Amino acid sequence: MSLSNMQYEAIVSGYEHTRDKNHHILEERRAQVYRECPELQELDSSVGSTSVTQARLLLDGDDSALATLRSSLKEIADRRKKLLAAVGYPEDYLEPIYDCPDCQDTGYRQTSDGLREKCHCFRRQEISLLYEQSNIQDMVSRENFSTLSYSYYQGEDLERFQKAVQICQNFVQNFKQDYQNLFFYGTVGTGKSFLSGCVANELLGQGMSVIYFSASGLFETLAKYAFSTKEKDALSAFYNDLYNCDLVIVDDLGTEVTNSFVTSQLFACLNERHLRKHSTIISTNLSLEELRDRYSDRVFSRVTSNYTLCKLTGPDIRMQRKVANHAKES
């Protein structure tokens, strides 16, 4: 499930548009500031001539030329900041503008070992294109911490939900430095998928790559590629995304038709992501006993050993909302 050439070119074209847009903004800023402070324009012009003069001296054997250049440029920079402040602008007002400073709007950045890799902003766009069918953007617009309500819970159900919310907030806060997984289970309509959406929304906002699957959709896609000899390359690309994205959400585990293929694929996914230290969130209406009976001891052990378990109970919130909406309409 890799990008088509058209999709890749669309992303690259988007970066070119961003760079052009930011360059235009910078040029407008520069023209505006130069009109208000001609002295600054003269100062900026002196950078080039100063550099050329000192470069010639360096080539002629003047060993002090480089130190002199550095000193001159520092003096120019300090003077530049003062002039900007004098006309009411911040000192970085004429610095290059980037939507993503990490890659400087190129889509790629250099790793510590000198390799070139896709930036997180590129990966986010890539994931969004590849998994548009998951409707994750629509989901997180409705299911996020800003729309969270405790009014549907009481007593022990409320305590469990409050605890789960706190776990989710800590999960998001520590996501970049701590490897964690979440397992939401319990009765129908108690907020398991909602909390998954809250986490997804926060991490997408941080530029993380998030893939959302319904359990049935995930295993149908895996089966489609696995049993077609023509789809081996696509399967390899799909697994690469599945195993390497920052967060995978598997919603409604247990609603799919479970068989030996599903069980083996579920274990492979959980195990591989655990080995690579990439986080996973699973939600299910199954009890822990039903999870073990349906998916094997290996899956049960992987979940109970490596996931924070969050049990949610209470009335079906979706049903309560339907009743409330119906009452309003009538």
Side-chain angles (χ1 to χ4, degrees):
M1 189 177 284
S2 57
L3 289 178
S4 67
N5 289 336
M6 184 177 296
Q7 288 173 318
Y8 179 84
E9 289 170 3
I11 294 178
V12 171
S13 177
Y15 281 111
E16 292 175 354
H17 175 75
T18 297
R19 292 195 299 272
D20 289 343
K21 174 201 71 176
N22 289 335
H23 177 73
H24 180 68
I25 293 172
L26 182 59
E27 288 302 307
E28 287 187 332
R29 287 183 177 184
R30 185 174 286 115
Q32 177 186 2
V33 173
Y34 285 171
R35 285 194 299 270
E36 297 178 22
C37 184
E39 186 180 351
L40 184 61
Q41 183 174 9
E42 295 174 6
L43 189 67
D44 284 349
S45 298
S46 71
V47 172
S49 59
T50 300
S51 299
V52 170
T53 299
Q54 296 304 319
R56 286 174 178 168
L57 291 174
L58 185 62
L59 291 173
D60 290 339
D62 185 345
D63 294 335
S64 65
L66 185 58
T68 302
L69 174 62
R70 288 171 177 168
S71 177
S72 298
L73 292 179
K74 184 179 184 307
E75 290 177 6
I76 291 173
D78 291 341
R79 177 62 180 158
R80 195 169 189 263
K81 292 175 183 178
K82 291 179 181 178
L83 288 173
L84 280 169
V87 289
Y89 294 103
E91 62 183 39
D92 63 348
Y93 191 67
L94 297 183
E95 295 300 316
I97 302 168
Y98 302 114
D99 284 12
C100 179
D102 292 340
C103 68
Q104 298 185 349
D105 297 335
T106 64
Y108 287 84
R109 59 182 181 178
Q110 194 170 21
T111 63
S112 57
D113 53 6
L115 300 177
R116 187 169 178 262
E117 68 175 7
K118 289 177 183 176
C119 184
H120 56 81
C121 62
F122 191 107
R123 288 290 298 148
R124 183 177 176 183
Q125 294 182 77
E126 187 175 38
I127 293 296
S128 179
L129 282 173
L130 293 176
Y131 298 96
E132 284 180 349
Q133 69 270 24
S134 71
N135 296 319
I136 191 171
Q137 298 297 337
D138 179 59
M139 179 186 76
V140 299
S141 69
R142 293 177 286 103
E143 300 173 355
N144 54 72
F145 285 124
S146 66
T147 61
L148 184 149
S149 172
Y150 295 103
S151 62
Y152 296 98
Y153 303 89
Q154 295 180 357
E156 185 179 15
D157 300 334
L158 176 59
E159 292 177 5
R160 284 176 169 167
F161 187 69
Q162 288 174 326
K163 181 180 178 181
V165 170
Q166 185 62 55
I167 288 172
C168 289
Q169 290 173 335
N170 290 339
F171 179 89
V172 170
Q173 183 177 353
N174 301 317
F175 187 81
K176 292 182 180 180
Q177 56 263 29
D178 294 337
Y179 163 63
Q180 305 173 72
N181 303 293
L182 301 178
F183 185 82
F184 298 118
Y185 71 107
T187 50
V188 175
T190 49
K192 300 182 294 296
S193 298
F194 178 88
L195 289 178
S196 297
C198 289
V199 172
N201 181 64
E202 293 295 317
L203 294 181
L204 286 167
Q206 295 178 21
M208 300 293 107
S209 55
V210 180
I211 299 177
Y212 167 88
F213 290 104
S214 67
S216 57
L218 171 61
F219 296 119
E220 284 174 6
T221 303
L222 286 169
K224 170 186 174 182
Y225 289 126
F227 298 119
S228 173
T229 56
K230 298 179 180 180
E231 300 285 0
K232 294 302 179 184
D233 290 341
L235 178 63
S236 176
F238 178 82
Y239 274 129
N240 182 62
D241 292 328
L242 181 64
Y243 293 155
N244 289 316
C245 72
D246 297 317
L247 175 67
V248 162
I249 298 174
V250 181
D251 196 25
D252 278 338
L253 185 68
T255 56
E256 79 290 342
V257 176
T258 308
N259 50 39
S260 58
F261 172 80
V262 167
T263 299
S264 65
Q265 291 296 313
L266 177 60
F267 178 78
C269 176
L270 302 188
N271 189 59
E272 190 63 32
R273 287 189 62 79
H274 172 64
L275 292 175
R276 302 186 188 199
K277 303 300 181 185
H278 292 318
S279 296
T280 307
I281 295 178
I282 299 173
S283 69
T284 182
N285 296 328
L286 300 174
S287 66
L288 293 179
E289 293 77 13
E290 290 170 327
L291 176 75
R292 180 186 57 206
D293 294 342
R294 182 178 290 217
Y295 296 104
S296 79
D297 289 335
R298 289 198 310 168
V299 170
F300 179 78
S301 176
R302 182 62 74 220
V303 169
T304 54
S305 299
N306 301 311
Y307 285 66
T308 299
L309 306 181
C310 299
K311 184 176 183 179
L312 297 177
T313 55
D316 187 336
I317 295 173
R318 287 187 289 265
M319 186 60 66
Q320 286 187 318
R321 285 174 175 167
K322 285 183 180 179
V323 172
N325 290 336
H326 179 72
K328 289 180 181 179
E329 292 174 357
S330 59

